[in-house]
């Protein structure tokens, strides 16, 4: 198989469409939620349990843990949230962000793929985009973002080669760092952290991990390590948002980083046990379904 620069650009373009679709959908959902979301956040963080549930609910709603953590940092800086309440919300946001991996696993990579309906969804949303009413236009943007998300997944699957050995350099490199046990897990943890920092979206890196694993590029345990790395990379947004803010705002961002980094490092040492647990609780089915749902389960189980 001849895989050249044009194919590499198609792969990068697919990731670009995914990121744009995710951004469009997340921003539209934030606009639709409006002030109600802020009211919920301030009203429901009186104790740690409701704080965690609030973070989970808001992140599942707006599909962006980064948006939730940035909002939390700004609220702490303004004195609307205390440090303990803010950490609870961030822990909940870590769980809420795993909803995206389930969307990708169930609707994007299985027997039924939402990508088949992506273009009709975008087509039906066009009249809303040209509406004079702001709320209708925002709904249209949200559906277009949703459609682009799954369209990008199809492009990503089609542009990523199955025959790894045919890729000069890249294939050889992936084969060298895969299936090496603990060394591979550490490498893929760093790759996951690096890619998430670059993309500023753990969802994009999770989607890439799901596709790589379903294509046989990497093993399931390597994919689990990459997922843990993504949890490290996603903390960079809160750290950036805390620059120049109050002491407690900085502490909130640092607490987020400490929790995700220490959790990931601990779990790397028990990946085989963790993998067995996830495989045990995951449903059976065809190979692609099984792999994608196991990774989604690993993402959720780790954060829970």
């Amino acid at each position: 198989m001849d895989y050249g620069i044009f194919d590499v650009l198609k792969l990068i373009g697919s990731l670009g469409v995914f990121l744009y679709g995710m951004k469009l959908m997340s921003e539209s959902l934030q606009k639709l939620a409006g002030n109600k979301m802020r009211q919920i956040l301030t009203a429901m963080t009186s104790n740690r349990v409701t704080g965690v549930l609030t973070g989970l609910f808001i992140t599942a709603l707006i599909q962006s843990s980064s948006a939730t953590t940035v909002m939390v940092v700004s609220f702490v800086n303004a004195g609307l949230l205390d440090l303990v309440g803010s950490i609870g919300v961030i822990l909940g946001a870590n769980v809420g962000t795993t909803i995206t991996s389930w969307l990708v696993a169930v609707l994007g990579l299985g027997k039924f793929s939402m990508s088949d309906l992506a273009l009709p969804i975008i087509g039906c949303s066009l009249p809303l985009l040209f509406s004079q009413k702001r709320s209708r236009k925002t709904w249209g943007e949200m559906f277009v973002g949703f459609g682009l998300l799954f369209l990008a997944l199809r492009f990503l699957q089609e542009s990523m080669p199955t025959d790894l050995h045919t890729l000069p350099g890249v294939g050889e490199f992936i084969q060298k760092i895969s299936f090496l046990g603990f060394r591979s897990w550490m490498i893929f943890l760093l790759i996951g952290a690096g890619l998430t920092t670059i993309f500023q979206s753990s969802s994009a890196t999770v989607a890439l991990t799901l596709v790589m694993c379903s294509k046989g590029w990497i093993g399931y345990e390597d994919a689990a390590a990459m997922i843990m790395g993504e949890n490290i990379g996603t903390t960079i947004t809160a750290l950036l948002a805390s620059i120049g803010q109050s002491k407690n705002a900085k502490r909130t961002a640092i607490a987020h980083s400490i929790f995700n980094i220490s959790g990931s490092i601990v779990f790397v040492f028990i990946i085989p046990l963790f993998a067995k647990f996830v495989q045990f609780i995951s449903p059976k089915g065809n190979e692609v379904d099984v792999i994608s749902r196991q990774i989604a389960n690993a993402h959720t189980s780790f954060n829970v």
Side-chain angles (χ1 to χ4, degrees):
M1 186 182 75
D2 190 18
Y3 197 86
I5 187 69
F6 183 71
D7 300 290
V8 173
L9 289 173
K10 278 169 68 179
L11 183 63
I12 294 167
S14 302
L15 277 171
V17 175
F18 184 93
L19 283 169
Y20 179 69
M22 195 75 220
K23 183 174 183 288
L24 194 61
M25 189 170 76
S26 175
E27 288 177 354
S28 303
L29 286 166
Q30 286 174 60
K31 286 177 193 172
L32 289 167
N35 290 327
K36 287 181 182 177
M37 186 172 62
R38 294 178 181 272
Q39 289 166 8
I40 291 168
L41 189 57
T42 50
M44 291 187 66
T45 52
S46 54
N47 66 64
R48 284 168 287 181
V49 176
T50 56
V52 171
L53 293 173
T54 302
L56 193 160
F57 172 73
I58 289 175
T59 307
L61 184 68
I62 65 174
Q63 288 294 289
S64 174
S65 61
S66 298
T68 305
T69 51
V70 167
M71 201 186 306
V72 168
V73 168
S74 66
F75 277 27
V76 172
N77 188 58
L80 296 173
L81 272 178
D82 63 10
L83 183 62
V84 174
S86 69
I87 292 171
V89 176
I90 284 174
L91 298 185
N94 277 347
V95 180
T97 195
T98 66
I99 297 294
T100 310
S101 60
W102 277 104
L103 280 173
V104 172
V106 177
L107 300 178
L109 295 175
K111 282 180 182 176
F112 167 75
S113 177
M114 187 59 77
S115 58
D116 296 330
L117 299 176
L119 287 176
I121 288 170
I122 293 169
C124 292
S125 306
L126 281 179
L128 295 173
L129 289 177
F130 295 102
S131 173
Q132 296 299 311
K133 197 173 179 182
R134 185 65 223 169
S135 61
R136 285 180 190 166
K137 192 172 183 180
T138 305
W139 275 107
E141 289 170 351
M142 191 271 286
F143 284 120
V144 168
F146 184 77
L148 287 174
L149 199 70
F150 289 99
L151 200 60
L153 269 175
R154 171 173 281 185
F155 293 155
L156 199 59
Q157 284 177 283
E158 290 173 354
S159 58
M160 193 174 283
T162 306
D163 302 323
L164 194 59
H165 63 277
T166 60
L167 285 180
V170 178
E172 194 177 325
F173 172 72
I174 295 285
Q175 284 174 333
K176 276 182 181 177
I177 64 171
S178 301
F179 307 102
L180 297 175
F182 184 75
R183 280 183 297 166
S184 284
W185 305 337
M186 289 304 296
I187 291 167
F188 280 103
L189 182 133
L190 293 172
I191 289 172
L195 287 175
T196 306
T197 302
I198 293 166
F199 295 150
Q200 286 290 287
S201 170
S202 59
S203 302
T205 319
V206 168
L208 190 62
T209 306
L210 282 162
V211 175
M212 284 171 70
C213 197
S214 66
K215 291 277 186 181
W217 278 44
I218 58 175
Y220 170 68
E221 291 181 351
D222 295 338
M226 201 164 163
I227 292 284
M228 290 170 197
E230 287 147 15
N231 281 279
I232 295 173
T234 196
T235 64
I236 194 71
T237 312
L239 287 170
L240 290 171
S242 70
I243 294 171
Q245 305 294 331
S246 68
K247 189 179 285 185
N248 269 351
K250 287 187 175 76
R251 284 172 175 166
T252 300
I254 291 166
H256 185 207
S257 300
I258 289 171
F259 178 77
N260 283 22
I261 292 167
S262 59
S264 298
I265 290 170
V266 167
F267 264 73
V268 162
F269 288 94
I270 59 165
I271 275 183
L273 289 173
F274 180 58
K276 284 178 182 175
F277 167 73
V278 171
Q279 286 165 344
F280 175 74
I281 64 170
S282 298
K284 303 294 182 280
N286 70 63
E287 192 177 350
V288 174
D289 276 337
V290 168
I291 291 170
S292 57
R293 292 186 189 194
Q294 281 178 356
I295 293 171
N297 254 335
H299 194 200
T300 305
S301 301
F302 170 73
N303 281 301
V304 170

